[in-house]
Structures are given as structure tokens and as C-alpha cells.
Amino acid sequence: MPHIYIEEVAGHVGQQVTLKGWLYNARYSGKLVFLQVRDGSGIIQCVLFKNDVSDQAFELARTLTQESSCIVTGTVREDKRSELDYEIAVSDLALVHMAVDYPITPKEHGVAFLMENRHLWLRSRRQAAILRIRASLIRAIRNYLDSHNFVLVDSPIFTPAACEGTSTLFETQYFDEKAYLTQSGQLYAEASAMALGKVYCFGPTFRAEKSKTRRHLTEFWMVEPEVAYLQFDGLMDLMEDFLCEIVAGVLAERASDFAVIERDITALQRVVKPFPRITYDEAIGILTAKGQPVAWGDDFGGDDETVLANEFDRPVLVHRYPAAVKAFYMKRDADNPKLALGVDLLAPEGYGEIIGGGQREDDLNELLQRIDEHGLPREPLEWYLDLRRYGSVPHSGYGLGVERTVAWLCGLHHVRETIPFPRLLDRLKP
Ligand code: 4AD
Ligand code: MG
């Protein structure tokens, strides 16, 4: 019998097939046993009628426990009442491994318990759907950048210097010297852009975030495009086009997974160009009018971002922040040197910043001054300064956090469910 995946059953109606998977749930009714079998690609109901199978197979079906692995042989038939529109009329059932006392039962469990058992929790249909959406998002990101001729150039993980401020650095021993886990691949992506023009790096990044929030992981994945000769307005155009395309790509590919997690996707279908663009000054005006306790010069907190995003029906770009709250590498606005050419993209529905980017300081002396102002040591950044010594050009880029984007796409309360094995302030296991 050919082995097929559950996602392929529609092409095998009336045929005998074999499925290899695990028992998700079961129901019994006299001479009938209904097994919900999952195989990673989906879940399907497999029906055993006592008279159609061996006594041995029927007995096995009656005693099979949750998450036991099994091989099912049977005929695919249409069943409009079932969620998948198909079921399997079973002719044979074989045991691969009997699972004893699987800890996650269909009843409700608390988040702490589920997080302890994250390695098993991934098997739930909801978690599997979220991971498929995550995988699709990553594919859509790569497709966009690859098809627009960006070259993938990876940045290192062990680094000698801070990129996003010294307060969230993870320090580690690197033989006889100190090293840090990268907070962002940007500085290296800038070097790559000077070599290859349009580049991106995509990998895990690390921040010793000492606060517990629903938006912060200590290890998260970031894609960081960087483009030589790209200036600030062009950067915002790129961020907008990129986000529209990747959201559309995921929606096209994952409709059934969005249905599994009961995500209303109408808000995502509104992610079309153009996005509203407001300055930091305008944002302060909106926040003040809404009674948020912010003053000019403050960075925005999660609540501020939510209030701002709620003003619009699609993502919003907030640009020209006070230079003092932004990183050392940001170029100043020629019209007002108190402002940095930085831009954050805020997602709707309270998800806040999912992309941060900006135009980079390309003047050597300005950059040296910024490094000193931020109290950063020059020596580990000497190589980076070379980029301003040898053929410096205007350039810009941004970083999109995969987990925050998945949280928004899936409508999840917390980023912990958006990555297979989340790393948080209080969680290093499993
Ligand atoms: O705004 P950030 O800090 O920007 C940078 O790191 C730039 N160097 C990127 C660049 O221009 N190449 O981070 C970018 C994005 C945020 O918008 C957010 O989506 C995500 O990374 N992010 C986090 N996601 C989860 N947990 C955290 N602790 C995060 N910190 C940032
Ligand atoms: Mg940011």
C-alpha cells in the first residue's frame, strides 16, 4: 500500500493507502472505533468497524493510548461532516510504539505546565499550525529578498562589540578573551552591503532582556536587509513593500492553519500599501491627546505603541526619533540634528514594533563622535570604521523580528508560542 501524508488524501479518494502517525484522540461506540490520527501534515478520522478488521486490529484500536505511534491502512472516502472532508475506512492497524501516560491530555493545562513540556506540546494541532505559519513566513521573507536580488550573507554570532547598546549583552568566554552573543547582524551586514550591494543576514540574535514582557525573548530570529546607496525615504518604501508581500505570501499558503488557530484574517488582508507615515513629533501629539504620559524625548513603551497603532487600520511607520533614544550608528536628520533617521514599523492590534531600521551614519568623524557619546570602546569597532574610510556611501537597512511578526499574524498573546523552544528570562529548558 502506498504511504501517503494526510495532507495528500484528497488525491486518493477510493484508494487503499497507508498512513504513519500517532494517535491524537479516540472515541468508541459499540462495534465502531473512531481514531483521530495525526502525522505532522494533518489530522484525520480513521474509522474501524469490527466486522471489517481482524480481532487483533480491533482490540488494538480499543486500547491504543494517546500519542502511541501506529500505522493505519484503509480506504480514503469523502465525508462532508468531518473537518477535513475525508476519513479513512480502516482495514488494518499496526502498533509501532505504545505511549504510556502521555502527560498532556485533551483537558486544559496551565501555561507553566505546557512550557515545561514544550517538547511534547509541539504535537498539539494548535502549536503545529503556528509552527507551519512561522515556516511559511520565513519562506516568504527569503522569497521576497532572493527574488529582489538581495544576496544572503550571514553575520557571525560571536562578536567583540555591542550593536544595540551595552545593557542587554550576553557575555561569554572566547578562549582567552571576552565575546558577546550578537544582538544584531547589522554592522556586518553593512560591510557585506559595501561588497555586494543589496544583502541580508538572517539568524538568531540574543539580548539579555531582564524584564518579563509578552514581546521579549532572549533569543530571537531577525532578518536584516541592508542596501548600499539606499536613503531614508527609499528605506520606508522597501519596508512597506516587503511587509505587504510577505503577509500576502503567508495568507495564501496557510489558510487552513489560520482556521485551526481561529485567527480572523480580515485585519491581515488589509495590509496593503500605502502605510501611514508619521513623525515622532506627530506621534507625541497623538499620544498626548490620548492621555498617554509621554514627553518629547521619551522612547515609546509597549502601551504607547498600542495606542498609536490603534489610530490606523494597517501598519504604521513612525520616523525621525530623538537621536538620544536610538543606537549610535543612526544618521542624523540634516534638517534637525536632534533627530535620527530611524523608523519603526508598528503592527496593528496592539503588537507594536515588529521592524526597526534606519539610515546609517556614513561620515567617519560623525560616527566617531557618536561612538564616544554612547561610551562605546572604539577598538572593537575599528573594522566598522574602515567602511567609512574606504568608499563610504549612504546606506540603510532594517531588522524584522520573526517572533513578534508571527505573534501578530497568529493573534497570539505572547511571543513564547511563536518559536519552537523559547528562551526567556526565566526559561532555558527544555
Ligand atoms: O529595533 P531593533 O533593536 O533593531 C536592530 O537590532 C537593528 N540593528 C536592525 C537593523 O536595522 N538591521 O530590533 C529589530 C526587531 C524589532 O523590531 C523586533 O521585532 C525584534 O527585532 N526584537 C525582538 N524580538 C523578540 N524579543 C526581543 N527581545 C527583541 N528585540 C528586538
Ligand atoms: Mg527597535
Side-chain angles (χ1 to χ4, degrees):
M1 240 30 77
H3 167 218
I4 67 162
Y5 285 93
I6 293 168
E7 64 186 357
E8 300 166 332
V9 292
H12 295 267
V13 177
Q15 295 170 15
Q16 279 257 322
V17 297
T18 295
L19 300 175
K20 300 182 178 183
W22 296 261
L23 184 68
Y24 198 65
N25 211 342
R27 197 155 65 72
Y28 320 93
S29 147
K31 290 185 166 183
L32 288 167
V33 179
F34 301 93
L35 303 178
Q36 305 284 325
V37 173
R38 63 169 193 89
D39 73 350
S41 77
I43 300 181
I44 194 168
Q45 171 155 283
C46 302
V47 186
L48 284 89
F49 180 47
K50 194 171 184 351
N51 299 359
D52 289 349
V53 295
S54 68
D55 290 350
Q56 207 186 347
F58 195 73
E59 192 47 29
L60 175 60
R62 285 171 48 82
T63 53
L64 202 62
T65 52
Q66 189 192 346
E67 285 307 318
S68 287
S69 39
C70 56
I71 298 177
V72 182
T73 300
T75 307
V76 180
R77 65 181 178 214
E78 273 188 84
D79 174 33
K80 288 295 170 201
R81 290 159 308 170
S82 82
E83 215 175 299
L84 198 66
D85 290 343
Y86 303 95
E87 63 176 22
I88 304 290
V90 179
S91 55
D92 198 13
L93 175 70
L95 180 68
V96 178
H97 178 253
M98 190 69 88
V100 180
D101 298 334
Y102 185 69
I104 303 178
T105 55
K107 68 166 200 214
E108 287 280 307
H109 293 283
V111 171
F113 177 82
L114 292 170
M115 290 292 286
E116 279 302 309
N117 288 286
R118 182 67 178 162
H119 52 295
L120 302 175
W121 188 23
L122 296 181
R123 301 181 187 192
S124 82
R125 100 191 290 207
R126 185 177 164 81
Q127 295 305 313
I130 294 167
L131 292 185
R132 273 193 288 268
I133 290 168
R134 177 190 169 99
S136 273
L137 172 68
I138 293 172
R139 176 162 48 232
I141 289 169
R142 289 192 183 279
N143 279 350
Y144 180 92
L145 294 169
D146 294 344
S147 67
H148 287 79
N149 296 332
F150 285 71
V151 181
L152 173 67
V153 185
D154 297 315
S155 293
I157 305 285
F158 285 127
T159 60
C163 179
E164 296 298 325
T166 48
S167 65
T168 61
L169 281 175
F170 273 115
E171 194 178 304
T172 177
Q173 196 61 32
Y174 192 76
F175 304 110
D176 293 335
E177 43 183 330
K178 267 195 314 202
Y180 307 105
L181 299 184
T182 185
Q183 296 168 304
S184 157
Q186 178 195 318
L187 305 186
Y188 296 92
E190 288 182 54
S192 310
M194 297 307 127
L196 292 139
K198 294 203 284 188
V199 301
Y200 68 105
C201 61
F202 200 165
T205 48
F206 306 85
R207 300 209 189 160
E209 302 281 1
K210 278 146 205 133
S211 55
K212 285 192 204 175
T213 80
R214 58 195 192 87
R215 297 177 180 180
H216 289 90
L217 293 156
T218 55
E219 177 178 319
F220 62 96
W221 284 68
M222 185 155 52
V223 60
E224 298 182 84
E226 190 72 30
V227 183
Y229 287 103
L230 183 66
Q231 306 215 27
F232 198 54
D233 289 334
L235 172 72
M236 291 196 275
D237 295 342
L238 176 65
M239 286 165 64
E240 185 181 72
D241 192 57
F242 168 83
L243 195 71
C244 291
E245 291 277 317
I246 64 177
V247 170
V250 177
L251 287 179
E253 211 168 80
R254 290 290 156 216
S256 60
D257 289 302
F258 283 112
V260 164
I261 64 174
E262 295 175 320
R263 169 64 159 142
D264 175 3
I265 56 170
T266 49
L268 301 177
Q269 287 162 337
R270 280 198 299 270
V271 180
V272 286
K273 291 193 281 189
F275 296 167
R277 297 180 186 188
I278 61 170
T279 62
Y280 173 89
D281 287 14
E282 287 168 330
I284 288 285
I286 293 173
L287 292 171
T288 311
K290 294 274 164 188
Q292 284 295 113
V294 284
W296 200 97
D298 292 346
D299 200 359
F300 297 144
D303 291 344
D304 300 319
E305 291 178 353
T306 300
V307 170
L308 284 174
N310 284 345
E311 289 296 292
F312 305 96
D313 70 342
R314 60 191 80 186
V316 53
L317 294 159
V318 183
H319 58 92
R320 294 182 166 80
Y321 284 76
V325 301
K326 289 292 182 189
F328 77 94
Y329 50 72
M330 293 234 181
K331 191 173 178 67
R332 299 292 169 102
D333 185 358
D335 294 335
N336 179 354
K338 278 204 167 70
L339 300 178
L341 294 180
V343 50
D344 285 354
L345 185 146
L346 310 184
E349 302 171 80
Y351 286 92
E353 180 199 336
I354 57 169
I355 305 183
Q359 185 163 341
R360 321 310 188 185
E361 183 51 71
D362 49 71
D363 179 82
L364 178 64
N365 291 323
E366 290 282 327
L367 191 56
L368 282 168
Q369 203 181 319
R370 294 294 114 69
I371 290 171
D372 295 346
E373 282 166 10
H374 279 78
L376 297 169
R378 281 188 186 189
E379 192 278 324
L381 290 168
E382 275 303 326
W383 66 270
Y384 181 67
L385 294 166
D386 273 354
L387 307 177
R388 278 66 177 171
R389 293 187 180 110
Y390 308 114
S392 187
V393 300
H395 61 288
S396 306
Y398 62 84
L400 170 136
V402 167
E403 291 74 18
R404 285 199 197 163
T405 307
V406 173
W408 164 53
L409 293 178
C410 295
L412 303 176
H413 172 69
H414 197 292
V415 286
R416 67 186 157 222
E417 287 178 52
T418 64
I419 182 164
F421 295 97
R423 296 293 174 248
L424 298 156
L425 179 62
D426 55 358
R427 178 157 304 280
L428 182 60
K429 291 181 195 160

